[in-house]
Amino acid sequence: MRSKRAELMDKIYSYIDQYYSVRHTAPSTAEIARGVGVSKATAYRYLVAMDERGILEYDGQSHTIITSMIRKFAPEVSSCPVVGSIACGCAQVEEENIEEYVSLPVSLFGKDSFYILRAQGDSMVDVGIDDGDLVVVSKETEAETGDIVVAMDENNENTLKLYNGIDSVTHEAVLLYCNQKVYPGKEIRVKELYIQGVAKHVIKAL
């Protein structure tokens, strides 16, 4: 590959950072070409060369350019579906319905495979889950005592409750309500329990 002019590399790099600081997204190859006064093909060749030299990251696609500034202000995120509501009260039948996708910062939420449910009801207020909250759920099929779980019983009804383990006498799975003021001592017992996820985070509107 022909050597690339250092000043043009610097010009391209500066243009990308300036563009991102204003628009909060990386420019396309065509926009870079117009911004620095070269052809699109030349801009593409320079981006590839700069990627090979470790100056920036570029995978050949528009808007997928990462400089050190972009990495600092645009941390890694994961796409997470919002799949409707979950009962925080009596178990009810629900069908998964993806409403939208949201981006979760990996630095805050980790890299688990998540989905988001909208809480309905008041049975989990003692653990900080109120009606309308968004509950970030890890796609796990096993739970430990004390986990807040999305659970489906043998009747295909699901709910969000605190898992309290297996009763040693009846061998039933025990799910607890967490609102002692309204539901003192109330629980759900099922012979077969299917864990559809474990709640990890709650997103609230203040």
Side-chain angles (χ1 to χ4, degrees):
M1 180 180 293
R2 293 179 299 172
S3 61
K4 306 299 178 183
R5 290 187 294 137
E7 65 251 42
L8 182 52
M9 288 187 180
D10 290 343
K11 191 174 181 180
I12 290 172
Y13 196 96
S14 296
Y15 178 82
I16 294 169
D17 280 349
Q18 290 170 5
Y19 187 101
Y20 183 86
S21 66
V22 174
R23 296 173 174 82
H24 306 292
T25 186
S28 67
T29 305
E31 288 167 330
I32 293 171
R34 289 193 297 269
V36 301
V38 299
S39 69
K40 184 177 178 180
T42 297
Y44 173 80
R45 288 196 300 268
Y46 269 76
L47 289 170
V48 170
M50 293 166 74
D51 175 75
E52 292 173 348
R53 298 183 186 188
I55 298 172
L56 49 70
E57 295 179 29
Y58 178 64
D59 67 359
Q61 303 292 326
S62 296
H63 300 282
T64 55
I65 304 165
I66 301 176
T67 65
S68 58
M69 187 193 80
I70 292 175
R71 182 172 297 282
K72 179 179 180 181
F73 291 101
E76 184 181 1
V77 297
S78 61
S79 182
C80 180
V82 179
V83 294
S85 60
I86 183 71
C88 295
C90 296
Q92 63 185 38
V93 176
E94 293 286 351
E95 292 183 1
E96 180 174 291
N97 179 28
I98 296 177
E99 299 177 356
E100 61 179 321
Y101 285 86
V102 299
S103 297
L104 299 179
V106 171
S107 60
L108 295 178
F109 293 88
K111 290 188 175 183
D112 284 357
S113 181
F114 293 117
Y115 61 93
I116 295 176
L117 292 168
R118 186 173 289 102
Q120 287 186 331
D122 60 359
S123 73
M124 301 301 289
V125 297
D126 290 348
V127 290
I129 301 175
D130 297 302
D131 186 53
D133 287 349
L134 297 179
V135 183
V136 182
V137 181
S138 177
K139 294 180 181 179
E140 302 176 24
T141 57
E142 296 183 357
E144 298 181 358
T145 300
D147 284 342
I148 298 169
V149 300
V150 177
M152 178 177 288
D153 66 16
E154 64 270 21
N155 297 316
N156 291 326
E157 297 181 330
N158 60 30
T159 189
L160 183 71
K161 293 291 178 287
L162 179 71
Y163 177 57
N164 199 39
I166 304 297
D167 188 298
S168 60
V169 177
T170 64
H171 305 292
E172 296 172 314
V174 181
L175 300 171
L176 300 180
Y177 282 63
C178 294
N179 184 339
Q180 286 301 306
K181 182 178 180 180
V182 179
Y183 309 104
K186 188 172 182 178
E187 61 185 30
I188 298 172
R189 288 175 171 259
V190 294
K191 293 180 180 179
E192 292 188 52
L193 179 68
Y194 303 97
I195 303 296
Q196 296 181 311
V198 177
K200 299 295 185 180
H201 307 273
V202 179
I203 302 173
K204 292 179 173 290
L206 298 179

